[in-house]
Amino acid sequence: MKLVASVFVLALAFLSQALENGLMRTPPMGWLAWERFRCNIDCKKDPQNCISEKLFMEMANCLVTDGWKDLGYVYVNIDDCWMAKERDARGQLVPDPERFPSGIRALADYVHSLGLKLGIYGDLGTHTCSGYPGTTLDQIEQDAFTFAEWGVDMLKLDGCYSSAEYQAQGYPRMTKALNATGRQIAYSCSWPAYQGGLPPQVNYSLLTNICNLWRNYDDIQDSWDSILSIVDWFSKHQDVLQPAAGPGHWNDPDMLIIGNFGLSEEQSRSQMALWTVLAAPLFLSTDLRSISQSSQEILQNKLMIKINQDPLGIQGRRILQEKSHIEVFLRPLSHSASALVFFSRRTDMPYCYTTSLAQLNYTHNTIYEVQDVYSGDIISGLKTADNFTVVINPSGVVMWYLYPTMYLDRSFSFINHLYKSETKKFHPFPL
Ligand code: GLA
């Protein structure tokens, strides 16, 4: 009896270290200030764009009025530079009084009144990356409690001005502290980005237990080079990263920069397709008040979002790098559907890439219906062995959503299990 009791106590102790919030069963979607608005705190010179409650309220309004919220973009996330330079007399974090005169509680109330969620930023260390007050080990519980009291729904905990030892203690301790508030607060850990992103420093099985998402690698910048370096790093290390992702715990290659200044239209389509196939969080970081129609269309593509939000939550992989500088990415989806991204790293002209599903890891003898995610074109009756050609623009993608319509392979146990007849039509995502 004594033994049973102590096992129970041990189990409880373990459980309270784990993130029990049940959040983010699919990759989170929303808006995050950093890449586009940085640490612009000069509200005198630049009142429209400085980090202030006005900016977050305006972005929240746009999320609702321009259809973003209905598609799932529900987080409005504050990044660095929201704080006053000092904590208050009780040691509590406080927002800058001039830029956030109503306070974070009021901002959270406003965001909630629109049916959205509010995210906030902190840093496990002496200072944030931009020099605002950090959260030291002894302040973790107090700050978690403050965020909960304000009605915050997500915390990004950065790792500047910290040490490896500090982070090893602090990140799991914040999980515990957030759980202890009783409020469901999603937890984004920057921890692996400060550990070089890879084992043995990064313990991904621990991370999946204590964080909903984590930044693995460098900050995204407003440039195509930055996108390529992130995609390369994620692909190179996919054997480590890919298995770590799943419902409730995601690798985060950083924000979407579509709508800003650094990407062409082709490159914007590529970022969206690649982030989707990587099961990445979709955090817009652009000015929603003035975004172009074409960027909005890319970010609001319904089939794209359905693929990103697939309930199985399997992160895709780069399965091929051709000598022709074409790369192919594949993401398995629920109901035997899948997504393929044909990505051109060429810099000359549109390239005709010929292949077959049989050459792309599709082993079952099946007939597929294919929908081109950007053009909407449908190809019916594509057999696994059929050759096909896609035309991919330089630094662009062709993205396909595929689902089986007929199974020809009698030994395919999945279908024998699910369907009486091998010829039954199957449309998992009717559009
Ligand atoms: C780090 C993070 C960025 C951003 C800045 C803020 O560089 O990686 O995402 O939060 O700090 O200062």
Side-chain angles (χ1 to χ4, degrees):
M1 196 58 197
K2 228 174 166 185
L3 182 71
V4 171
S6 38
V7 167
F8 183 65
V9 169
L10 263 178
L12 271 184
F14 173 75
L15 273 178
S16 65
Q17 305 278 345
L19 197 62
E20 299 151 43
N21 61 20
L23 296 170
M24 298 184 171
R25 307 305 296 170
T26 60
M29 298 171 64
W31 184 90
L32 175 58
W34 182 256
E35 197 292 313
R36 173 63 182 80
F37 293 94
R38 306 287 169 142
C39 194
N40 176 359
I41 54 170
D42 194 344
C43 292
K44 295 225 164 58
K45 253 198 214 144
D46 196 5
Q48 294 306 317
N49 300 303
C50 63
I51 299 302
S52 66
E53 63 186 34
K54 176 175 138 62
L55 181 71
F56 293 98
M57 289 166 81
E58 289 183 2
M59 291 306 154
N61 293 343
C62 290
L63 286 178
V64 175
T65 52
D66 300 332
W68 302 98
K69 174 188 151 191
D70 291 342
L71 291 164
Y73 292 98
V74 293
Y75 283 94
V76 181
N77 285 7
I78 303 171
D79 207 278
D80 207 345
C81 306
W82 61 271
M83 300 171 196
K85 280 283 184 176
E86 303 290 341
R87 288 174 179 259
D88 70 9
R90 289 171 300 150
Q92 193 168 307
L93 289 171
V94 278
D96 181 277
E98 282 178 15
R99 293 181 286 116
F100 292 84
S102 317
I104 304 296
R105 170 87 245 181
L107 183 55
D109 287 347
Y110 181 73
V111 162
H112 293 156
S113 75
L114 299 177
L116 300 169
K117 295 170 189 286
L118 186 72
I120 206 160
Y121 168 98
D123 186 287
L124 183 65
T126 55
H127 295 89
T128 72
C129 298
S130 299
Y132 289 81
T135 301
T136 54
L137 289 179
D138 54 323
Q139 290 164 329
I140 287 176
E141 287 75 20
Q142 181 180 15
D143 290 355
F145 186 76
T146 303
F147 297 145
E149 210 179 34
W150 285 343
V152 161
D153 305 291
M154 175 171 174
L155 169 66
K156 169 176 171 180
L157 191 61
D158 215 338
C160 276
Y161 301 106
S162 197
S163 67
E165 174 55 25
Y166 217 80
Q167 295 179 350
Q169 286 187 46
Y171 277 103
R173 187 162 160 185
M174 181 57 90
T175 305
K176 243 175 124 181
L178 292 174
N179 279 345
T181 67
R183 184 173 174 82
Q184 287 194 304
I185 301 179
Y187 184 26
S188 166
C189 304
S190 300
W191 191 11
Y194 290 88
Q195 300 173 292
L198 296 170
Q201 279 75 20
V202 181
N203 176 349
Y204 278 101
S205 54
L206 171 64
L207 272 184
T208 60
N209 277 325
I210 65 164
C211 309
N212 293 114
L213 62 156
W214 49 81
R215 283 277 312 284
N216 315 62
Y217 184 63
D218 292 351
D219 289 4
I220 200 161
Q221 310 294 336
D222 193 2
S223 79
W224 181 234
D225 279 355
S226 171
I227 303 271
L228 288 180
S229 76
I230 292 171
V231 170
D232 282 341
W233 191 87
F234 269 73
S235 302
K236 187 167 168 207
H237 302 298
Q238 60 188 1
D239 288 348
V240 169
L241 305 179
Q242 191 268 342
H249 45 93
W250 310 101
N251 292 297
D252 178 9
D254 214 358
M255 291 154 272
L256 296 165
I257 56 167
I258 300 160
N260 297 335
F261 311 98
L263 302 186
S264 69
E265 186 158 349
E266 287 301 327
Q267 293 163 348
S268 301
R269 288 169 182 239
S270 297
Q271 189 191 18
M272 190 66 181
L274 292 165
W275 261 232
T276 291
V277 98
L278 290 175
L282 298 179
F283 283 108
L284 314 161
S285 190
T286 188
D287 191 343
L288 299 177
R289 299 165 299 191
S290 57
I291 189 170
S292 70
Q293 186 63 33
S294 62
S295 295
Q296 186 161 335
E297 272 169 23
I298 293 168
L299 293 162
Q300 294 197 343
N301 181 309
K302 285 198 174 133
L303 180 53
M304 182 74 76
I305 291 170
K306 266 183 174 163
I307 296 170
N308 176 272
Q309 296 288 295
D310 185 78
L312 279 185
I314 299 174
Q315 182 173 323
R317 298 170 74 101
R318 180 166 70 189
I319 56 164
L320 261 184
Q321 275 181 290
E322 302 278 16
K323 285 202 187 74
S324 57
H325 300 289
I326 302 300
E327 297 182 357
V328 185
F329 292 75
L330 168 63
R331 177 174 174 188
L333 303 169
S334 47
H335 307 297
S336 303
S338 53
L340 277 172
V341 172
F342 304 96
F343 175 37
S344 171
R345 310 209 31 166
R346 298 177 68 91
T347 52
D348 53 357
M349 56 186 263
Y351 186 79
C352 296
Y353 177 62
T354 300
T355 186
S356 67
L357 295 178
Q359 293 175 68
L360 302 176
N361 295 7
Y362 288 69
T363 48
H364 291 296
N365 189 12
T366 302
I367 300 182
Y368 290 89
E369 181 137 304
V370 175
Q371 179 154 7
D372 183 306
V373 177
Y374 280 120
S375 72
D377 292 348
I378 305 265
I379 303 168
S380 293
L382 184 71
K383 294 202 190 91
T384 311
D386 289 348
N387 274 340
F388 62 84
T389 299
V390 284
V391 183
I392 320 160
N393 292 338
S395 67
V397 288
V398 169
M399 182 167 182
W400 278 10
Y401 170 70
L402 302 93
Y403 49 96
T405 50
M406 194 186 283
Y407 293 87
L408 304 172
D409 185 348
R410 281 178 184 276
S411 67
F412 191 13
S413 58
F414 172 67
I415 207 66
N416 289 341
H417 169 68
L418 276 184
Y419 304 115
K420 291 199 179 68
S421 143
E422 287 156 44
T423 56
K424 188 163 177 177
K425 281 266 177 196
F426 184 58
H427 287 266
F429 287 149
L431 289 167

